Amino acid sequence: MTSGKEELAAMRQAVIDGERETAERLARQALAAGAAPLEAIERGYVPGIQEAGRLWEEGEYFLPELVTSAEAMQAAMSVLQPALQQGQRSGAEQGRAVIGTVQGDIHDIGKTLVGTLLAANGFEVHDEGADVSVDRFVERARAIDADLVCASALLTTTMVVQRDLVHELSAAGLRAKVMVGGAPVTREWASQIGAHGFADNAVAAVEVARQLVTR
């Protein structure tokens, strides 16, 4: 079952307005109605946090508003993520992945969703959270001999850190492939900075990750 346009719009608005209880309630209602959790996330809540990020970049939102929007998104994810994990598939391990949102960026919803789906598809996922420094990415990738490093950026001001990460991983002599994503990130940007892969949504990220680790 899919969520209707009104329900999806309400989810989006709850995140924009930072209405934690409303966001959580709508998520529970969606699951109770048999809606697909991934659809609620990608078509309802994610557009809301993307809009909050845009408003912050344009100076209409300040840090308190951005934080309350993130908290509303987290409340919804606390309901929807377990439902996603229930669909976890068994099978051979695909590879070891380090994932995080780059330094200076506190957005972690999209990154968390990608990590959840990677884990559900056989990857060993090491989630470093948000505001992750390049050095921390490199250290973790070295420590686990990572096959893949996934770096998210939701702001145009932080996406440049992805370029630094690609450079430092290469300079460190690590074999990990780099996949980048986030609202302002494009395939052209990924190519420009030398990233090995790009995905514009969580489902696509899983397929790109599979291709990268099996090359």
Side-chain angles (χ1 to χ4, degrees), residues 84-171:
L84 278 176
Q85 292 172 331
Q86 286 178 2
Q88 181 169 339
R89 294 206 304 265
S90 60
E93 182 181 308
Q94 296 289 326
R96 292 181 293 277
V98 176
I99 188 168
T101 305
V102 298
Q103 189 165 30
D105 200 323
I106 65 170
H107 296 79
D108 68 351
I109 303 303
K111 174 271 304 173
T112 299
L113 177 57
V114 171
T116 298
L117 293 186
L118 287 175
N121 283 273
F123 284 84
E124 178 187 317
V125 177
H126 297 256
D127 191 338
E128 297 299 296
D131 195 21
V132 182
S133 69
V134 169
D135 286 346
R136 200 161 109 215
F137 272 116
V138 173
E139 288 169 6
R140 177 65 75 177
R142 179 184 289 112
I144 69 167
D145 189 22
D147 300 286
L148 184 66
V149 173
C150 307
S152 174
L154 271 291
L155 303 172
T156 55
T157 52
T158 60
M159 60 190 284
V160 293
V161 180
Q162 294 174 328
R163 178 181 57 203
D164 299 337
L165 175 60
V166 172
H167 178 269
E168 291 302 318
L169 285 167
S170 177

